[in-house]
Amino acid sequence: MTKLATEERMSIVIVGHVDHGKSTIIGRLLADSHSLPDGKLEQVKELCARTAKPFEYAFLLDALRDERAQGITIDSARVFFRTARREYIVIDAPGHIEFLKNMITGASRAEAALLVIDAQEGVQENSRRHGYMLAMLGIKQCVVLINKMDLVGFDQAEYEKLVKSLTAFLAQVNITPACFIPVSGRDGDNLADASTRMPWYHGPTVLQALDTFEPEAPPVGLPFRLRVQDVYKFTGQGDDRRIVAGTIDSGQISVGDRLVFLPSGKRSSVKSIEAFNRPTQTEASAGWATGVTLTEQIYVARGELAVRESDPLPQVTTRLRVSLFWLGQRPLEMRKEYALKMGAARIPMRLESVDRVIDASTLAARPNATRVERHDVADCVLKIGKAVAFDLASDLPVTSRFVIVDEYDIRGGGIVREALPDQQGWVREKVLVRNSKWERGSIPLERRAERFNQRATLLLFTGPTETERKALAKELEGRLFAQGKVVYFLGIGSVLYGVDADIGRQRENRLEHMRRLAEVANIMLDAGMILIVTAAELTTEDLEVIRAAVEPERIETIWVGDRMTTDLECNLYVSDGEGRAEALERIETRLKDLGVVYRPW
Amino acid sequence: MDHLEQLENRSIHILREAYANFRQLCMLWSIGKDSTVMLWLARKAFFGHVPFPLVHIDTSFKIPEMIAYRDKLAAEWHLNLMYGQNEVALAEHRTYPDGAVDRLTCCGLLKTEALRRTLSGEGPRYRFNHATRTYERDRNTEPFTGVIVGARADEEGSRSKERYFSPRTTQSEWEVQDQPPEFWNQYKTEFAPGTHVRIHPLLDWTELNIWEYIGREQIPTVSLYYNHGDGTRYRSLGCGPCTQKVHSEARDVSEIIVELRTGKFSHIAERSGRAQDKEDGGGLESLRRDGYM
Ligand SMILES: Nc1nc2c(ncn2[C@@H]2O[C@H](COP(=O)(O)OP(=O)(O)O)[C@@H](O)[C@H]2O)c(=O)[nH]1
């Protein structure tokens, strides 16, 4: 029996078309590496004999009763076995098409992959699909097992023919396997022990090949990237630290480094690196779930990407050219809203266009597609509701990854190939410069929030021209003021003739008007205020400009009036017939729910 | 970065995702070694704080030392601790072995049922009052929508099918066959009304990892895990009547690590001292489908 001598572990995944022998190989590897619990093999054999079924090594994996009834392994079950070098965690990825999401779950946790191909059947639909997905998931270490060599008489020519065609196919999907191995899963040839039936093969056994793989080292040498998971301020036991927490995706930081947070563009320096029950440290590097405090107190939110000022900057935009795979029962379609999750950011998203859909079963492009069907792989353009910071797959794969959520579940995932220009790029550039030049006062935003008992917010009242928008907005101002809030009403007209005096009121200046309005709002929000702005008929485009200059989390939109005269989607709607008091009540409730106005305890 | 640091970092990342996404979040604390390591990881993730309640399901049959240890740590670590209990089943003596039910039914009532009702808020919750050091009925009866659980994949067959974030239905059931995909540190953080999500930060840890980590971090543990001279110790802790000791000379953490490294238990299931597993056809599967930990 092997001892638990090593502490090193590696996760591997076994993929391939259904019935090509994945489960058999795992079962056999377990048995031949002497990793089975005592009596397990005998017990399963006995069970088979009792139920008059021929014994299969695959049965060993069927830990769950109902699986045995179905005859296929249904989820990413993990199995542990050991070699002289280390412990392996095998993530079994079933080949049945229904269960692709399990294979992806398994493969994304793996550091190396075994791709199993039936020597007789050759490459099949799921061999291709899985190959494509391994590449997208980012698995670099891969061994191809040509299984069931017994069925082709252990013939070298057959084997080499298959290796040749496979090499071509794998190159197409960007996978360079470490090696090919002819095996018989059923009989154990070249799994743990070298086969005597294929004397022409001089390469490693599967276990030897696995043992040559190196654990993936965290990418310390790359640019620093940390996706902010949260900002903690736990006050218990007199703790007054304000800690920006997250896991370092790549690179490293030291105390004193200048950081930029994107997309907001805010800057600060690392004051300390925080940890519990660890000696004080002045550096942290890729792979660590860490936390830092900053010298200047800036408002940073979950979902931002922290980078080092001296490192190459990431991309920031709202339009992404991506490669993705889709797992949802319902296709990915245009004109439907989804959520895009990238690191800790979660953003509304729409499919803008489908460049090409690759049918995974043939890898041929399906032309003129307007949607992405289940289990398809596609190149698309995505439009998201606010800017996000990320990297390109060709630069930094980890920070190029995203998933798509529909309803409550992850339905697809992919990597960003290209950052496309959007209409707010010019605003964002100005904001980046503005934020880097911004001179902070001595009072942090949160101290103002505490003093004023409110969260600085921009309330945008819009709607058709003829409604009572302004009256409602002013009444809200009055009510909040009476409650002791620091609140200010600003009609867009008040900005037009002052701040905007140097530019005309023509249509082509409309977005510049919006930008200036947003800059004014930004100052008032920084002063801790609740700012109520009225502007007729705001469009989505207008709002996107405003959101590029004011933190989107601080904007609430209210549409006043029954008629929808623009394409804007708002947070709240007030109808013409609704009583003033009722409408105000609803708005105030929402402000309380959002924590803009604190609820009295 | 060594393997323990790797495990620690992944678990911390998961805990922080859970905290950021679930407003009604709690952590189950069984007082055993796994969930105590998990609690320690929470203190790591949140820099010494534990910003959510810890829920203990008290069957009233737990070994007394476990309860004393629980209350001691609650005070020392400033924990927001609460316990839940199936008071009806206890009052009616529907328990094993003193009542007229078998082990599995007892587990179903005192653990599964108690857990389900404590999480949903239908059952009573008693919260630790740090000033008086007593428990008081909690007024908050809002259901928990995110429940952090210390299950490990290597512990027992059915647990290897878990996700880090596993959805549970409105009936607390686990639909093993239809779980959402989980990749690239993206988890199921959204859920339909009435359902909840179980979060498993320890999924990748092994029994050996747990002890190595306890040793490295010097995490306080219940002395029941150690041999006090009679050549036996507990390997897994549960209720007094249904938990047996194993033969072992290990007197402290480092001796347990040596014992595990040399493979002493590599052929004996970790929960083999837990009698209810055997009555469940060799796996916890049916208990777990119903919402068992
Ligand atoms: N002749 C032969 N049959 C095999 C070999 N490996 C697997 N099989 C059979 O192929 C079938 C499918 O194997 P299984 O492991 O369940 O495939 P999976 O769907 O990829 O997990 C089973 O009936 C196995 O017995 C092999 O090396 N030789």
Side-chain angles (χ1 to χ4, degrees):
Chain A
M1 200 67 217
T2 27
K3 287 182 176 183
L4 272 157
T6 67
E7 295 188 352
E8 197 186 321
R9 300 170 97 197
M10 179 175 274
S11 304
I12 59 172
V13 67
I14 304 202
V15 302
H17 198 72
V18 67
D19 279 346
H20 281 196
K22 298 178 297 297
S23 315
T24 305
I25 288 170
I26 300 173
R28 189 82 210 201
L29 280 175
L30 284 189
D32 293 1
S33 66
H34 312 288
S35 303
L36 288 175
D38 280 347
K40 193 76 196 170
L41 190 60
E42 291 70 27
Q43 186 194 327
V44 176
K45 282 188 169 160
E46 215 173 275
L47 184 80
C48 287
R50 234 188 305 136
T51 51
K53 271 198 300 187
F55 168 76
E56 290 268 355
Y57 273 94
F59 295 160
L60 279 172
L61 302 175
D62 300 341
L64 297 171
R65 271 181 241 140
D66 63 330
E67 274 191 34
R68 218 134 38 201
Q70 278 200 8
I72 43 175
T73 333
I74 58 156
D75 199 357
S76 33
R78 280 166 286 184
V79 190
F80 299 77
F81 73 86
R82 289 184 187 88
T83 65
R85 170 156 186 197
R86 64 188 153 213
E87 183 181 14
Y88 288 92
I89 309 166
V90 188
I91 308 168
D92 180 29
H96 195 287
I97 188 160
E98 284 297 309
F99 302 126
L100 200 66
K101 55 185 186 185
N102 297 323
M103 139 159 186
I104 285 172
T105 303
S108 84
R109 295 177 188 171
E111 291 176 86
L114 301 180
L115 175 59
V116 177
I117 311 262
D118 186 315
Q120 234 179 4
E121 289 195 11
V123 171
Q124 295 294 313
E125 176 171 345
N126 273 318
S127 327
R128 288 201 191 84
R129 204 189 297 281
H130 292 176
Y132 212 103
M133 290 181 174
L134 286 183
M136 209 184 287
L137 286 165
I139 295 191
K140 290 183 209 86
Q141 312 191 90
C142 171
V143 176
V144 181
L145 309 189
I146 312 289
N147 188 32
K148 307 195 190 180
M149 283 302 292
D150 53 299
L151 296 184
V152 296
F154 300 100
D155 184 62
Q156 181 174 11
E158 283 287 331
Y159 168 75
E160 295 202 322
K161 206 167 74 195
L162 200 51
V163 167
K164 203 166 155 220
S165 73
L166 269 169
T167 309
F169 153 69
L170 290 170
Q172 231 179 311
V173 298
N174 266 328
I175 294 185
T176 318
C179 61
F180 293 85
I181 307 177
V183 304
S184 169
R186 196 192 54 189
D187 304 336
D189 294 74
N190 286 334
L191 294 184
D193 305 308
S195 171
T196 52
R197 299 189 285 187
M198 290 176 272
W200 45 267
Y201 175 75
H202 303 293
T205 63
V206 173
L207 289 189
Q208 285 166 346
L210 283 175
D211 276 352
T212 63
F213 284 150
E214 291 304 325
E216 220 174 307
V220 175
L222 297 177
F224 173 74
R225 298 289 188 261
L226 177 147
R227 294 182 283 192
V228 176
Q229 270 182 296
D230 244 318
V231 179
Y232 300 131
K233 180 113 175 26
F234 301 115
T235 45
Q237 288 83 58
D239 193 346
D240 62 358
R241 292 171 298 173
R242 188 166 176 277
I243 304 173
V244 179
T247 303
I248 303 177
D249 288 308
S250 56
Q252 52 190 331
I253 40 163
S254 308
V255 169
D257 280 349
R258 285 292 289 166
L259 297 182
V260 190
F261 293 87
L262 292 162
S264 76
K266 301 210 173 138
R267 285 156 205 256
S268 193
S269 303
V270 180
K271 184 170 149 200
S272 67
I273 292 169
E274 297 293 328
F276 171 77
N277 202 38
R278 285 184 71 82
T280 309
Q281 62 199 97
T282 54
E283 283 176 349
S285 60
W288 285 92
T290 187
V292 300
T293 63
L294 302 173
T295 49
E296 299 103 291
Q297 292 311 320
I298 52 174
Y299 173 80
V300 187
R302 173 175 163 86
E304 290 209 74
L305 179 64
V307 309
R308 227 163 34 166
E309 217 173 49
S310 54
D311 277 334
L313 289 183
Q315 313 286 330
V316 178
T317 187
T318 62
R319 289 177 70 232
L320 320 168
R321 188 185 304 286
V322 306
S323 295
L324 59 78
F325 50 85
W326 189 247
L327 306 167
Q329 292 274 7
R330 282 181 291 171
L332 172 67
E333 302 176 291
M334 310 218 248
R335 281 185 291 280
K336 181 174 179 319
E337 187 167 292
Y338 300 88
L340 180 101
K341 280 169 89 177
M342 227 179 175
R346 185 185 182 284
I347 308 158
M349 175 220 103
R350 280 169 200 275
L351 176 63
E352 184 178 300
S353 66
V354 181
D355 295 347
R356 68 181 187 133
V357 171
I358 301 137
D359 188 329
S361 50
T362 61
L363 284 191
R366 208 183 297 145
N368 304 327
T370 54
R371 54 193 214 172
V372 184
E373 303 284 346
R374 186 173 194 212
H375 297 162
D376 277 342
V377 175
D379 293 341
C380 308
V381 174
L382 306 179
K383 173 84 178 97
I384 51 180
K386 68 174 188 196
V388 68
F390 59 91
D391 288 289
L392 303 184
S394 52
D395 297 338
L396 290 172
V398 173
T399 32
S400 83
R401 295 168 178 168
F402 63 87
V403 299
I404 298 174
V405 175
D406 183 21
E407 294 193 315
Y408 302 109
D409 282 321
I410 293 173
R411 311 282 181 188
I415 51 181
V416 185
R417 301 268 187 212
E418 193 185 342
L420 299 174
D422 62 6
Q423 304 217 305
Q424 298 78 47
W426 61 282
V427 183
R428 264 198 308 275
E429 265 167 43
K430 289 188 161 61
V431 169
L432 261 182
V433 178
R434 173 250 275 172
N435 281 347
S436 72
K437 302 287 179 196
W438 196 273
E439 192 72 46
R440 303 221 61 84
S442 59
I443 294 146
L445 197 59
E446 62 195 29
R447 289 204 32 219
R448 282 186 212 277
E450 274 163 30
R451 162 79 58 90
F452 299 160
N453 218 6
Q454 65 186 36
R455 202 171 73 97
T457 301
L458 169 62
L459 303 176
L460 274 176
F461 281 73
T462 186
T465 41
E466 72 280 10
T467 61
E468 302 225 321
R469 184 179 57 250
K470 286 184 194 162
L472 184 68
K474 286 180 192 171
E475 194 162 336
L476 179 68
E477 182 198 25
R479 284 176 60 141
L480 292 176
F481 187 77
Q483 293 163 24
K485 301 297 159 203
V486 182
V487 56
Y488 187 74
F489 171 89
L490 180 71
I492 193 168
S494 312
V495 181
L496 278 181
Y497 299 97
V499 173
D500 293 345
D502 60 320
I503 51 170
R505 296 188 53 205
Q506 313 85 308
R507 277 213 68 76
E508 66 264 26
N509 287 333
R510 179 175 177 107
L511 294 181
E512 175 61 12
H513 285 302
M514 289 302 155
R515 189 190 69 80
R516 293 188 185 191
L517 173 68
E519 283 296 342
V520 171
N522 181 59
I523 293 172
M524 312 222 15
L525 260 50
D526 199 51
M529 221 166 270
I530 295 175
L531 178 66
I532 303 179
V533 166
T534 56
E537 308 207 303
L538 287 181
T539 62
T540 304
E541 196 185 18
D542 295 336
L543 184 63
E544 280 182 352
V545 168
I546 297 171
R547 291 164 69 110
V550 174
E551 273 144 28
E553 295 74 28
R554 298 193 173 278
I555 305 174
E556 271 297 292
T557 49
I558 299 129
W559 185 273
V560 185
D562 288 344
R563 284 192 312 123
M564 300 307 306
T565 50
T566 78
D567 63 344
L568 188 70
E569 280 180 32
C570 288
N571 300 117
L572 210 64
Y573 293 85
V574 176
S575 77
D576 292 327
E578 186 171 358
R580 179 79 53 83
E582 245 170 83
L584 287 167
E585 191 61 43
R586 274 203 307 131
I587 296 171
E588 283 187 54
T589 305
R590 174 150 177 107
L591 296 184
K592 281 180 193 153
D593 288 346
L594 292 169
V596 172
V597 174
Y598 302 140
R599 256 179 228 286
W601 295 113
Chain B
M1 188 181 304
D2 66 24
H3 70 292
L4 284 184
E5 290 168 335
Q6 217 172 327
L7 288 167
E8 177 191 80
N9 282 311
R10 188 175 311 150
S11 301
I12 290 176
H13 186 85
I14 290 170
L15 287 168
R16 289 177 179 167
E17 280 301 289
Y19 181 58
N21 283 289
F22 293 87
R23 218 169 50 84
Q24 287 296 322
L25 181 68
C26 70
M27 177 180 273
L28 299 188
W29 186 26
S30 74
I31 325 298
K33 62 189 190 312
D34 299 332
S35 56
T36 304
V37 161
M38 186 165 70
L39 168 56
W40 185 265
L41 288 165
R43 300 179 80 206
K44 286 240 165 182
F46 307 107
F47 304 96
H49 305 266
V50 183
F52 35 72
L54 292 162
V55 172
H56 176 65
I57 298 303
D58 191 348
T59 60
S60 87
F61 287 96
K62 296 281 178 199
I63 303 163
E65 191 197 324
M66 294 168 69
I67 301 298
Y69 162 87
R70 176 190 76 183
D71 293 351
K72 180 168 171 285
L73 287 195
E76 269 173 30
W77 293 355
H78 309 279
L79 304 175
N80 176 0
L81 174 67
M82 54 173 75
Y83 76 84
Q85 200 165 55
N86 189 341
E87 292 169 336
V88 179
L90 286 173
E92 294 170 359
H93 284 288
R94 285 188 289 142
T95 51
Y96 178 90
D98 56 335
V101 302
D102 61 17
R103 284 196 166 99
L104 271 186
T105 312
C106 182
C107 262
L109 289 169
L110 296 192
K111 292 184 180 171
T112 312
E113 176 75 10
L115 175 66
R116 182 158 52 209
R117 290 172 53 82
T118 304
L119 294 181
S120 71
E122 296 157 88
R125 296 170 178 167
Y126 298 93
R127 185 189 288 272
F128 187 71
N129 180 330
H130 283 267
T132 60
R133 294 224 170 188
T134 54
Y135 286 84
E136 291 164 3
R137 180 92 184 236
D138 195 28
R139 280 192 304 268
N140 180 1
T141 56
E142 259 191 89
F144 289 110
T145 51
V147 183
I148 308 171
V149 187
R152 289 186 288 106
D154 79 323
E155 196 177 353
E156 174 276 319
S158 70
R159 293 188 178 182
S160 71
K161 306 282 175 174
E162 289 281 12
R163 303 282 201 246
Y164 296 119
F165 284 59
S166 273
R168 292 295 191 271
T169 66
T170 41
Q171 266 66 56
S172 276
E173 285 158 354
W174 179 32
E175 293 181 332
V176 191
Q177 327 231 355
D178 186 29
Q179 302 191 73
E182 191 172 71
F183 50 99
W184 293 338
N185 294 335
Q186 292 292 354
Y187 312 108
K188 181 177 172 66
T189 50
E190 285 151 65
F191 50 93
T195 63
H196 74 268
V197 177
R198 294 271 172 102
I199 298 142
H200 302 115
L202 297 184
L203 213 49
D204 300 330
W205 294 60
T206 62
E207 185 183 11
L208 174 62
N209 297 150
I210 292 285
W211 282 111
E212 288 171 329
Y213 192 69
I214 288 171
R216 176 183 295 187
E217 296 284 328
Q218 305 195 334
I219 303 170
T221 43
V222 196
S223 75
L224 297 164
Y225 282 116
Y226 311 106
N227 160 33
H228 296 284
D230 65 349
T232 66
R233 67 178 190 88
Y234 286 98
R235 192 173 162 210
S236 171
L237 289 178
C239 294
C242 294
T243 312
Q244 264 105 54
K245 294 177 164 191
V246 293
H247 289 285
S248 161
E249 292 299 327
R251 288 163 193 271
D252 56 28
V253 180
S254 59
E255 290 182 20
I256 290 180
I257 293 172
V258 169
E259 189 176 83
L260 290 171
R261 285 231 181 103
T262 52
K264 174 174 158 80
F265 293 121
S266 62
H267 304 287
I268 304 166
E270 183 177 345
R271 294 175 55 96
S272 62
R274 307 285 285 275
Q276 68 270 28
D277 292 18
K278 294 184 188 123
E279 294 186 3
D280 195 22
L284 277 174
E285 180 67 9
S286 57
L287 273 175
R288 285 176 62 68
R289 263 173 219 268
D290 289 340
Y292 185 81
M293 293 155 259

